[in-house]
Amino acid sequence: MERKELTMDKMKMSTPDFTRINIEKIAEMFPNVVTEAKDEQGNLVHKIDFEKLKQELSSDVIDRDESYDFTWVGKKSAMVEANKPTNKTLRPCLEDSVNWDKTENLYIEGDNLEVLKLLQESYLNKIKMIYIDPPYNTGNDSFIYPDDYATERGLYDEEVGAIDESGYRMFKNTENNGRFHSSWCSMMYPRLKLARNLLTDDGVIFISIDDNEVDNLKKMCDEVFGASNFIGLVTREMKKGANRGSQLSPAVDYLLVYAKSLEKLGFFYEPFDKDYIKTFKFDDGDGKGAYKKVNLYEPTLDFYANCRYEIKCPDGEIVITPEGKSFRCNKESFYEDLANNGICFEKKKSMLINSNTGETANWCVYTKLYLKDMLGKGRRPSNLFLDMINANGTKELTKLKLKIFEFSKPVGLIKYLIKIISNTNIENNSSDIILDFFSGSATTAQAVMEVNTELNSNRKFIMIQLPEICNEKSKAYKAGYKNICEIGKERIRRAGKKIVEETGKTDLDIGFRVLKLDESNMKNVYYTPDELSQSDLIDSISNIKEGRSGYDLLYQCMLDWGLELSLPHRMERINNNEVHIVNDGDLIACFDDKIPEETVKQIADLKPLRVVFRDSSFATPAARINVDEIFKLKSPQTTIKVL
């Protein structure tokens, strides 16, 4: 085996700088449009000369004043925000989790903008379905912004709001404020851009919205997902018998539906209910599965000459349709089905077909409609959803003894969406990932677990929710819940327990790993070594922040390497060193100081794909070189990095 040169690169421990990546892509196609300019720190960096780029892409100069465009105050800042890297991380919280070692579900607490950035590499092109229920911008919603991200202060005379304990601006977005629509659009745009990256090529996003922002949201989605990938606007019955509103009583809201790529999506099929499936009650044991009998003749069918013919029954009787009437299929198709055991006869007086003597036939003739053949022929879902009202969501929370959360969407709505994108109507063993980054009370998580029960599937969920503080006067606060995340996690626990009690199934994944957004595990000097002064050297012997565990470091490494956060992992003791093993060797990490050579050898014997150590894991430069040599000999395919 050819031995490759191993080098211990530094983990970058931050998300990609998408602006820089995009500049590099443009430079490959049009090197002449790349120039150099100084950044805010005075460093020379590559920039794009957009005037030159225009010339490369068009023979005519585009007049911005006359081009079709959707914009708002703050759009440029919102576009830049989506591309900004982040040094933050996700820290595991085992004490809040359920079935940590076995579950493949995730519950992530933190600002969804930062979390979506962190998930870009680990879940790129891996999410089958996204459902979100963002703030509706009714004039009573509080929008949350990181302190350094909001519509530019200079664009408005008034800045209303306060900073919460996590450093986020809680902005009351009222109609009297000049940023009524702009703030909402600036909040949504970067999140949609990042969400699109996560969808599979045949992935779909559903966005609940009301009539305050549906028009703006569609324009944004046309830009982010492409107008050609617009699937439809669904009207959902929201409530019955309401008598509110100034002029019209609001009874509906909407679902905007977009595909990542409509060409690769396939078709939506409305799922069959259990009662319909039960009508397929016959099975000949010929391997074709369950079927139901469908009369070959239907009196309401139009007449077609090639669909009226004589049929010989088992006792020799000849039957035929009445004059001017047709069978469901032509003669050739009938005899093809007959040869393939797709026709059945039942001896009883038929009130439909006649014998060739003109009398009522003594036989009924049926075609066999197989359930498996119906899977790809389901009915298209309507763009009007009835009986999926919010009151159902309230009842579902009441059953879980959690009637403390207002305006929760019904579980049945999310279950229906999951089923119609699956292109199947019965058990399918799907392992799709479902994401909700405005998860609220975690309705989507409950829906995923229930669908898994009904379809024998293994879908996984990722819930993301900012831990917004509950109002002290609210039912939730009085019930002991300090923030929305506490409600969401408790709902998943209770819903999972209820599913197990009702089904008796003990092999269901009703657990979830809790991860919390936090500042990086690395000290600031890790990211700005050029700014490290001589006086800082004593303080920076360790580049890891105090109080950070091996699990904390492991998950930041998993994000850095683009590994799914639901992968199984275990911690083992090797020569009394704490060694973390992810997915049987996709990644092995040891963050101890001065690791002995024997431990390194045993790790190399496991032939991992990736290994990460700390700088302090090596007592001397010679020890570091020795680690390189050990892996060259024992596991040359391993990529080694250090913190």
Side-chain angles (χ1 to χ4, degrees), residues 499-513:
I499 289 170
V500 171
E501 290 174 351
E502 291 179 349
T503 64
K505 295 182 178 180
T506 57
D507 58 345
L508 302 172
D509 185 357
I510 58 169
F512 54 95
R513 290 180 179 176

Side-chain angles (χ1 to χ4, degrees), residues 438-497:
F438 286 97
S439 72
S441 67
T443 302
T444 302
Q446 182 175 344
V448 171
M449 292 189 294
E450 291 190 9
V451 168
N452 284 340
T453 303
E454 295 171 12
L455 299 184
N456 193 32
S457 59
N458 186 36
R459 291 171 173 82
K460 307 157 200 156
F461 63 74
I462 300 176
M463 301 291 104
I464 305 173
Q465 176 61 43
L466 187 80
E468 298 176 50
I469 303 300
C470 295
N471 189 300
E472 293 184 5
K473 297 180 180 179
S474 67
K475 294 180 182 178
Y477 189 88
K478 293 176 181 178
Y481 299 97
K482 295 180 180 179
N483 60 59
I484 293 178
C485 290
E486 292 184 3
I487 300 172
K489 289 180 290 187
E490 182 61 20
R491 180 194 189 144
I492 302 172
R493 295 186 191 103
R494 295 189 186 190
K497 182 179 179 181

Side-chain angles (χ1 to χ4, degrees), residues 128-131 202-207 231-235 255-258 265-273 375-385 388 411-426 428 430 432 434 447 451 454-455 459:
K128 171 66 176 179
M129 172 182 142
I130 297 174
Y131 170 79
D202 62 347
V204 185
I205 184 169
F206 297 92
I207 310 173
I231 294 175
L233 178 65
V234 175
T235 300
L255 275 167
L256 264 173
V257 190
Y258 281 81
L265 176 61
F267 295 104
F268 286 174
Y269 296 124
E270 188 174 59
F272 296 144
D273 59 34
L375 299 184
K377 300 176 182 178
R379 186 173 60 186
R380 295 287 184 270
S382 168
N383 63 357
L384 175 63
F385 287 4
M388 296 185 188
V411 173
L413 170 65
I414 317 300
K415 287 170 62 177
Y416 183 78
L417 300 179
I418 294 171
K419 290 178 179 179
I420 66 174
I421 69 166
S422 301
N423 301 332
T424 185
N425 291 292
I426 58 171
N428 57 16
S430 170
D432 293 336
I434 313 298
V451 168
E454 295 171 12
L455 299 184
R459 291 171 173 82

Side-chain angles (χ1 to χ4, degrees), residues 197-234:
N197 298 335
L198 302 180
L199 284 173
T200 59
D201 287 343
D202 62 347
V204 185
I205 184 169
F206 297 92
I207 310 173
S208 284
I209 197 66
D210 73 352
D211 49 13
N212 286 296
E213 292 292 353
V214 64
D215 184 53
N216 288 332
L217 180 61
K218 185 178 187 305
K219 289 186 176 74
M220 270 195 290
C221 288
D222 281 346
E223 184 172 318
V224 172
F225 296 96
S228 62
N229 292 314
F230 172 64
I231 294 175
L233 178 65
V234 175

Side-chain angles (χ1 to χ4, degrees), residues 99-365:
N99 298 336
W100 174 277
D101 292 332
K102 295 181 180 180
T103 186
E104 296 182 87
N105 300 316
L106 301 177
Y107 189 97
I108 304 176
E109 298 185 28
D111 172 29
N112 53 19
L113 180 63
E114 296 294 318
V115 175
L116 288 170
K117 289 180 180 182
L118 289 170
L119 300 183
Q120 289 298 295
E121 293 190 84
S122 295
Y123 291 92
L124 181 69
N125 300 325
K126 291 182 179 179
I127 305 296
K128 171 66 176 179
M129 172 182 142
I130 297 174
Y131 170 79
I132 55 172
D133 183 16
Y136 275 13
N137 203 4
T138 61
N140 296 310
D141 301 301
S142 294
F143 300 150
I144 294 124
Y145 296 91
D147 193 25
D148 62 351
Y149 171 59
T151 306
E152 297 175 11
R153 292 191 179 104
L155 299 174
Y156 292 95
D157 295 329
E158 185 179 3
E159 195 60 72
V160 180
I163 306 301
D164 74 3
E165 63 182 18
S166 301
Y168 296 100
R169 175 170 289 110
M170 300 292 293
F171 178 78
K172 198 73 172 179
N173 200 37
T174 63
E175 289 196 45
N176 294 329
N177 190 294
R179 298 191 292 175
F180 181 63
H181 293 293
S182 293
S183 293
W184 191 87
C185 291
S186 291
M187 183 271 293
M188 288 297 297
Y189 189 85
R191 289 161 171 81
L192 292 173
K193 282 198 69 175
L194 293 166
R196 182 188 179 278
N197 298 335
L198 302 180
L199 284 173
T200 59
D201 287 343
D202 62 347
V204 185
I205 184 169
F206 297 92
I207 310 173
S208 284
I209 197 66
D210 73 352
D211 49 13
N212 286 296
E213 292 292 353
V214 64
D215 184 53
N216 288 332
L217 180 61
K218 185 178 187 305
K219 289 186 176 74
M220 270 195 290
C221 288
D222 281 346
E223 184 172 318
V224 172
F225 296 96
S228 62
N229 292 314
F230 172 64
I231 294 175
L233 178 65
V234 175
T235 300
R236 179 186 74 101
E237 184 181 24
M238 183 175 57
K239 60 182 71 173
K240 296 177 182 289
N243 188 26
R244 299 177 181 177
S246 58
Q247 301 295 334
L248 298 173
S249 180
V252 301
D253 62 5
Y254 307 95
L255 275 167
L256 264 173
V257 190
Y258 281 81
K260 173 95 171 266
S261 172
L262 195 56
E263 292 182 354
K264 299 179 180 179
L265 176 61
F267 295 104
F268 286 174
Y269 296 124
E270 188 174 59
F272 296 144
D273 59 34
K274 292 180 180 180
D275 291 336
Y276 178 76
I277 292 175
K278 288 178 181 178
T279 63
F280 294 82
K281 58 185 178 181
F282 302 101
D283 193 332
D284 293 335
D286 56 2
K288 294 182 179 180
Y291 68 88
K292 67 177 181 179
K293 299 175 182 179
V294 179
N295 214 304
L296 184 62
Y297 170 64
E298 171 58 53
T300 60
L301 292 176
D302 295 332
F303 173 71
Y304 296 97
N306 62 341
C307 291
R308 186 173 190 264
Y309 44 86
E310 293 184 342
I311 295 174
K312 186 176 182 180
C313 298
D315 67 353
E317 182 180 12
I318 305 297
V319 298
I320 193 171
T321 63
E323 190 71 33
K325 297 291 184 178
S326 303
F327 285 122
R328 289 181 179 273
C329 60
N330 61 35
K331 187 175 182 179
E332 290 74 18
S333 296
F334 170 80
Y335 280 103
E336 182 179 344
D337 287 344
L338 183 64
N340 292 315
N341 194 33
I343 300 293
C344 57
F345 297 87
E346 188 172 330
K347 191 162 188 178
K348 63 180 182 180
K349 283 287 184 180
S350 172
M351 302 303 294
L352 298 177
I353 57 176
N354 301 325
S355 69
N356 60 349
T357 62
E359 299 175 353
T360 299
N362 293 306
W363 291 88
C364 285
V365 185

